[in-house]
Every structure is written in C-alpha cells, then in structure tokens.
C-alpha cells in the first residue's frame, strides 16, 4: 500500500508477482472490504440463507467457513468454495511451501 514509501511499495509488488502471491493475504484492504460487504448483506431479515464466494486458480480445492475476527457473525452461512479449473504444474519449491503450510507448526505460525 506504500505505507513505507514508494520504493518499498515497488519492491513489495515485484516480490508479490515473482512469488505468485495472488491470495487474500496480499490484498488486505480488498479482503476487509469484501468481509464487511458479506457481513452486511448476510445480516438481517432479508439476508440469504447462504453466501458462497467462488474462487480458483490456487492449485487447491477446498471449502472453508470464515471466522469473524471482530465477533460479527452474519445470519447467513458463509462459504468459500475454491477449485482450480485447470491442473497447473506446481514447482518443487512451492510444493515444499505447501507441505510446510499444511503441517501443524506451519498452521500455528500462520494462525499467529
């Protein structure tokens, strides 16, 4: 976002692109806006029963339910449905990263 200056912002964006970081953690402002939108639409008498967020191109397939950090829980059930439509070859260094991320210690570090 440029909080540390334009030079660091350019460096960070180059690094993000080289590492193929296209997940929500790379875009926290957009993620927060989407979460607030989902919470607003999913709450109240006219809220739908379920809100599904569809995504893909992440080399994985999963269904996840969010935990609302601020304690706000919408009335609607919220699900993220993720599936890559095309099988992409995953480089060895990324496979190692995935394995670490799926490990107990990796999950604890990520959660922290």
């Amino acid at each position: 976002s440029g909080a540390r200056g334009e030079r660091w912002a350019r460096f960070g964006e180059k690094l993000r692109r080289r590492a193929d970081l296209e997940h929500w953690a790379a875009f926290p402002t957009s993620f927060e806006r989407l979460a607030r939108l989902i919470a607003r639409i999913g709450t109240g008498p006219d809220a739908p029963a379920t809100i599904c967020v569809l995504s893909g191109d992440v080399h994985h397939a999963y269904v996840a339910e969010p935990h609302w950090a601020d304690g706000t829980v919408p009335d609607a059930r919220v699900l993220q449905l993720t599936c890559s439509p095309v099988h992409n070859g995953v480089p060895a260094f990324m496979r190692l990263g995935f394995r670490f991320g799926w490990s107990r210690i990796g999950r604890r570090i990520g959660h922290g």
Side-chain angles (χ1 to χ4, degrees), residues 57-59 84-91:
D57 195 30
V58 294
H59 310 290
S84 288
V86 177
H87 175 71
N88 296 316
V90 180

PDB file of all heavy atoms in Angstrom, residues 57-59 84-91:
ATOM      1  N   ASP A  57      -7.889 -20.994  -9.267  1.00  0.00           N
ATOM      2  CA  ASP A  57      -6.523 -20.751  -9.705  1.00  0.00           C
ATOM      3  C   ASP A  57      -5.553 -20.646  -8.545  1.00  0.00           C
ATOM      4  O   ASP A  57      -4.683 -19.794  -8.516  1.00  0.00           O
ATOM      5  CB  ASP A  57      -6.447 -19.502 -10.584  1.00  0.00           C
ATOM      6  CG  ASP A  57      -5.120 -19.438 -11.337  1.00  0.00           C
ATOM      7  OD1 ASP A  57      -4.569 -20.508 -11.642  1.00  0.00           O
ATOM      8  OD2 ASP A  57      -4.632 -18.329 -11.589  1.00  0.00           O
ATOM      9  N   VAL A  58      -5.705 -21.513  -7.574  1.00  0.00           N
ATOM     10  CA  VAL A  58      -4.808 -21.515  -6.420  1.00  0.00           C
ATOM     11  C   VAL A  58      -4.123 -22.874  -6.219  1.00  0.00           C
ATOM     12  O   VAL A  58      -3.509 -23.095  -5.186  1.00  0.00           O
ATOM     13  CB  VAL A  58      -5.549 -21.117  -5.127  1.00  0.00           C
ATOM     14  CG1 VAL A  58      -6.017 -19.690  -5.188  1.00  0.00           C
ATOM     15  CG2 VAL A  58      -6.712 -22.050  -4.849  1.00  0.00           C
ATOM     16  N   HIS A  59      -4.248 -23.762  -7.171  1.00  0.00           N
ATOM     17  CA  HIS A  59      -3.645 -25.099  -7.110  1.00  0.00           C
ATOM     18  C   HIS A  59      -4.267 -25.987  -6.035  1.00  0.00           C
ATOM     19  O   HIS A  59      -3.671 -26.990  -5.660  1.00  0.00           O
ATOM     20  CB  HIS A  59      -2.131 -25.041  -6.895  1.00  0.00           C
ATOM     21  CG  HIS A  59      -1.416 -24.127  -7.830  1.00  0.00           C
ATOM     22  ND1 HIS A  59      -1.276 -24.412  -9.161  1.00  0.00           N
ATOM     23  CD2 HIS A  59      -0.816 -22.945  -7.625  1.00  0.00           C
ATOM     24  CE1 HIS A  59      -0.605 -23.434  -9.741  1.00  0.00           C
ATOM     25  NE2 HIS A  59      -0.317 -22.534  -8.840  1.00  0.00           N
ATOM     26  N   SER A  84      -9.265 -25.055  -8.591  1.00  0.00           N
ATOM     27  CA  SER A  84      -8.584 -24.675  -9.821  1.00  0.00           C
ATOM     28  C   SER A  84      -9.227 -25.415 -10.986  1.00  0.00           C
ATOM     29  O   SER A  84      -9.342 -26.627 -10.950  1.00  0.00           O
ATOM     30  CB  SER A  84      -7.106 -25.041  -9.748  1.00  0.00           C
ATOM     31  OG  SER A  84      -6.427 -24.193  -8.866  1.00  0.00           O
ATOM     32  N   PRO A  85      -9.651 -24.684 -12.031  1.00  0.00           N
ATOM     33  CA  PRO A  85     -10.303 -25.331 -13.157  1.00  0.00           C
ATOM     34  C   PRO A  85      -9.341 -26.107 -14.044  1.00  0.00           C
ATOM     35  O   PRO A  85      -9.738 -26.980 -14.776  1.00  0.00           O
ATOM     36  CB  PRO A  85     -10.928 -24.175 -13.926  1.00  0.00           C
ATOM     37  CG  PRO A  85     -10.058 -23.010 -13.593  1.00  0.00           C
ATOM     38  CD  PRO A  85      -9.581 -23.238 -12.176  1.00  0.00           C
ATOM     39  N   VAL A  86      -8.077 -25.772 -13.959  1.00  0.00           N
ATOM     40  CA  VAL A  86      -7.072 -26.415 -14.788  1.00  0.00           C
ATOM     41  C   VAL A  86      -5.978 -26.924 -13.863  1.00  0.00           C
ATOM     42  O   VAL A  86      -5.596 -26.247 -12.920  1.00  0.00           O
ATOM     43  CB  VAL A  86      -6.467 -25.406 -15.792  1.00  0.00           C
ATOM     44  CG1 VAL A  86      -5.373 -26.041 -16.617  1.00  0.00           C
ATOM     45  CG2 VAL A  86      -7.539 -24.829 -16.687  1.00  0.00           C
ATOM     46  N   HIS A  87      -5.489 -28.104 -14.135  1.00  0.00           N
ATOM     47  CA  HIS A  87      -4.382 -28.610 -13.328  1.00  0.00           C
ATOM     48  C   HIS A  87      -3.106 -27.900 -13.751  1.00  0.00           C
ATOM     49  O   HIS A  87      -2.668 -28.025 -14.884  1.00  0.00           O
ATOM     50  CB  HIS A  87      -4.230 -30.123 -13.497  1.00  0.00           C
ATOM     51  CG  HIS A  87      -3.041 -30.661 -12.773  1.00  0.00           C
ATOM     52  ND1 HIS A  87      -3.009 -30.729 -11.406  1.00  0.00           N
ATOM     53  CD2 HIS A  87      -1.855 -31.106 -13.205  1.00  0.00           C
ATOM     54  CE1 HIS A  87      -1.830 -31.219 -11.041  1.00  0.00           C
ATOM     55  NE2 HIS A  87      -1.120 -31.451 -12.120  1.00  0.00           N
ATOM     56  N   ASN A  88      -2.565 -27.128 -12.840  1.00  0.00           N
ATOM     57  CA  ASN A  88      -1.316 -26.424 -13.096  1.00  0.00           C
ATOM     58  C   ASN A  88      -0.174 -27.192 -12.440  1.00  0.00           C
ATOM     59  O   ASN A  88      -0.300 -27.654 -11.317  1.00  0.00           O
ATOM     60  CB  ASN A  88      -1.353 -25.012 -12.500  1.00  0.00           C
ATOM     61  CG  ASN A  88      -2.408 -24.153 -13.152  1.00  0.00           C
ATOM     62  OD1 ASN A  88      -2.542 -24.170 -14.368  1.00  0.00           O
ATOM     63  ND2 ASN A  88      -3.156 -23.419 -12.365  1.00  0.00           N
ATOM     64  N   GLY A  89       0.927 -27.310 -13.133  1.00  0.00           N
ATOM     65  CA  GLY A  89       2.099 -27.917 -12.530  1.00  0.00           C
ATOM     66  C   GLY A  89       2.623 -27.016 -11.420  1.00  0.00           C
ATOM     67  O   GLY A  89       2.712 -25.808 -11.591  1.00  0.00           O
ATOM     68  N   VAL A  90       2.923 -27.591 -10.291  1.00  0.00           N
ATOM     69  CA  VAL A  90       3.402 -26.815  -9.147  1.00  0.00           C
ATOM     70  C   VAL A  90       4.902 -27.053  -9.005  1.00  0.00           C
ATOM     71  O   VAL A  90       5.335 -28.189  -8.836  1.00  0.00           O
ATOM     72  CB  VAL A  90       2.663 -27.228  -7.852  1.00  0.00           C
ATOM     73  CG1 VAL A  90       3.169 -26.427  -6.676  1.00  0.00           C
ATOM     74  CG2 VAL A  90       1.162 -27.060  -8.023  1.00  0.00           C
ATOM     75  N   PRO A  91       5.708 -25.977  -9.063  1.00  0.00           N
ATOM     76  CA  PRO A  91       7.153 -26.145  -8.916  1.00  0.00           C
ATOM     77  C   PRO A  91       7.518 -26.745  -7.557  1.00  0.00           C
ATOM     78  O   PRO A  91       6.789 -26.586  -6.576  1.00  0.00           O
ATOM     79  CB  PRO A  91       7.703 -24.716  -9.027  1.00  0.00           C
ATOM     80  CG  PRO A  91       6.613 -23.910  -9.629  1.00  0.00           C
ATOM     81  CD  PRO A  91       5.333 -24.591  -9.286  1.00  0.00           C
TER      82      PRO A  91
END
